[in-house]
Amino acid sequence: NAGVTQTPKFQVLKTGQSMTLQCAQDMNHNSMYWYRQDPGMGLRLIYYSASEGTTDKGEVPNGYNVSRLNKREFSLRLESAAPSQTSVYFCASTPYPSTDTQYFGPGTRLTVL
Amino acid sequence: DAKTTQPTSMDCAEGRAANLPCNHSTISGNEYVYWYRQIHSQGPQYIIHGLKNNETNEMASLIITEDRKSSTLILPHATLRDTAVYYCIAPSKGYSTLTFGKGTMLLVSP
């Protein structure tokens, strides 16, 4: 099992450009999450999907959209990137929504110039 | 989530036990205590969790005080690879998200 995978690993964007961060898990988990982590800070939840077909906002959803494409995949889209979105983005999954043991991907380092 | 308080940083000599404290005085009776760690540039990794009783697994031991207001994560024989930020979390039941604070930066030195 690969666990949680994320693509790309690194990305540089110019202000105003758009991009989609991809996340996939092969553990048959129902719930998936997107976090961002700024330097010296803890993780902050952007969006989550408790189950296939549902998505909910987290702590910092502004400027982002998500799609739960199927049970395996959960993507995060930046429609018009801003320098404030420079961060490391982590995807995570859990078997069920109330399960607190989360499995994280390796992260995507995004720089917006 | 119950508020948790951890020291900003700690040092430990390689081969010694690392004891990482966490205060969670507002924890509710049915809220577990979870510990994760994040090695530099990697995603967070689950370590252990507990409710009332002490817990042990292949990575660490978790000691929870009888009043459940604090806990200690113990790495019995710390190695250089245990250098990481350690997060103590007490998630509210019924919620499907975790709140990660700033954690404790543990530096294991030779």
Side-chain angles (χ1 to χ4, degrees):
Chain A
N1 284 354
V4 179
T5 58
Q6 294 183 234
T7 56
K9 285 186 169 52
F10 301 93
Q11 183 70 48
V12 178
L13 293 178
K14 294 181 179 179
T15 297
Q17 287 185 317
S18 62
M19 79 158 296
T20 300
L21 282 64
Q22 305 287 354
C23 174
Q25 50 87 13
D26 62 0
M27 297 175 283
N28 200 35
H29 285 175
N30 288 290
S31 304
M32 298 183 74
Y33 309 81
W34 276 106
Y35 292 89
R36 63 175 286 175
Q37 185 174 36
D38 300 325
M41 303 288 289
L43 280 75
R44 293 185 292 172
L45 183 68
I46 305 171
Y47 270 94
Y48 66 99
S49 171
S51 60
E52 187 178 355
T54 69
T55 60
D56 286 286
K57 295 179 180 179
E59 181 185 355
V60 288
N62 291 344
Y64 306 94
N65 286 303
V66 291
S67 295
R68 184 74 184 267
L69 304 171
N70 48 55
K71 191 172 185 178
R72 289 187 64 248
E73 299 171 288
F74 188 36
S75 63
L76 178 72
R77 182 160 179 84
L78 287 70
E79 291 291 352
S80 178
S84 61
Q85 294 178 305
T86 293
S87 191
V88 182
Y89 291 84
F90 291 102
C91 178
S93 71
T94 59
Y96 299 102
S98 60
T99 305
D100 298 314
T101 302
Q102 296 195 5
Y103 299 84
F104 285 82
T108 294
R109 292 184 174 275
L110 175 67
T111 300
V112 183
L113 302 176
Chain B
D1 298 359
K3 178 177 170 56
T4 60
T5 304
Q6 300 177 253
T8 303
S9 63
M10 294 184 66
D11 295 325
C12 180
E14 188 177 22
R16 307 284 251 181
N19 297 286
L20 290 89
C22 178
N23 287 322
H24 33 77
S25 58
T26 62
I27 197 170
S28 298
N30 62 351
E31 290 176 341
Y32 283 76
V33 178
Y34 279 75
W35 284 82
Y36 283 76
R37 74 179 182 183
Q38 187 174 22
I39 296 170
H40 182 62
S41 298
Q42 298 182 20
Q45 176 190 26
Y46 163 80
I47 302 173
I48 198 169
H49 73 282
L51 183 64
K52 292 181 182 178
N53 300 319
N54 298 338
E55 302 287 345
T56 296
N57 63 19
E58 64 278 5
M59 290 182 68
S61 295
L62 176 60
I63 308 298
I64 303 173
T65 58
E66 192 168 343
D67 63 8
R68 301 210 331 117
K69 293 184 177 183
S70 65
S71 61
T72 300
L73 178 75
I74 300 173
L75 308 178
H77 305 287
T79 71
L80 300 179
R81 288 176 293 180
D82 291 322
T83 291
V85 178
Y86 288 77
Y87 297 98
C88 168
I89 303 169
S92 300
K93 297 304 293 181
Y95 287 84
S96 59
T97 64
L98 296 177
T99 300
F100 286 79
K102 294 188 178 181
T104 296
M105 174 66 217
L106 175 67
L107 177 62
V108 181
S109 303

